[in-house]
Amino acid sequence: MKCELYQFFPEVYPFNLWIYVGNDISGLTSNFNNNFDYLINSSAVTISVPLGGCKTDPNMGFIIWFLRKNIMDFETVSHEASHVTLRVFEYIEEEIKNSEPFCYLSGWVAKKCGQVKSGIDVKYNLIWSNEQTKNKKEVSFNM
């Protein structure tokens, strides 16, 4: 199965959002220092990445991992977007008194999930795929 990792940067909040779609942890272990062994029996999950937890970007952030694109429905996306948004507000030590900033960020996260599912406007956000890795191996074997 095709596995893909996308990276996004909100303009007003200090974190990265990574969206991973795939049924194995190869892309996660290739790009992050986290331990992913405990992630079993979930079709979608949100994972916190501490400062320095990404091998290519020192900033902190959050991974939303979907096993497959067909799991990315309204209910699941809004659930995971809420997890990310709550954790961002905890990180910046901001109370949710005024719901508008919370709702805008949650909507932004959900929009990015929708773009990954549809493949629209994410070409430059794709930072890893097992097909890229496979193609690199094939090229090196042919040299």
Side-chain angles (χ1 to χ4, degrees):
M1 177 188 179
K2 187 175 183 179
C3 298
E4 299 174 324
L5 178 65
Y6 297 86
Q7 184 173 14
F8 302 94
F9 313 97
E11 293 181 20
V12 296
Y13 292 98
F15 74 96
N16 290 301
L17 173 66
W18 294 280
I19 300 173
Y20 183 69
V21 181
N23 64 352
D24 66 59
I25 62 172
S26 60
L28 297 174
T29 56
S30 294
N31 291 280
F32 300 96
N33 297 317
N34 293 44
N35 176 4
F36 299 103
D37 294 338
Y38 68 95
L39 299 172
I40 56 172
N41 299 326
S42 292
S43 56
V45 65
T46 297
I47 305 157
S48 296
V49 177
L51 288 170
C54 177
K55 295 177 182 177
T56 59
D57 188 319
N59 295 317
M60 60 80 64
F62 306 95
I63 305 165
I64 302 177
W65 177 14
F66 298 98
L67 286 181
R68 295 174 304 283
K69 286 187 178 182
N70 67 350
I71 292 168
M72 299 171 79
D73 58 19
F74 289 120
E75 180 181 2
T76 306
V77 167
S78 62
H79 178 98
E80 299 306 328
S82 295
H83 279 306
V84 169
T85 306
L86 285 168
R87 290 180 186 175
V88 167
F89 273 65
E90 287 174 8
Y91 177 74
I92 64 174
E93 298 178 349
E94 186 68 38
E95 290 183 38
I96 307 169
K97 293 179 186 175
N98 176 357
S99 64
E100 283 305 300
F102 183 90
C103 292
Y104 277 114
L105 180 57
S106 185
W108 180 85
V109 172
K111 176 183 174 182
K112 297 306 171 189
C113 291
Q115 288 175 316
V116 166
K117 182 177 181 175
S118 68
I120 296 173
D121 295 332
V122 292
K123 179 174 142 180
Y124 298 109
N125 299 96
L126 180 66
I127 61 169
W128 183 92
S129 83
N130 60 349
E131 291 188 356
Q132 290 172 339
T133 305
K134 181 181 165 185
N135 291 339
K136 285 181 184 176
K137 287 179 184 175
E138 289 174 2
V139 169
S140 66
F141 288 129
N142 293 331
M143 295 180 119

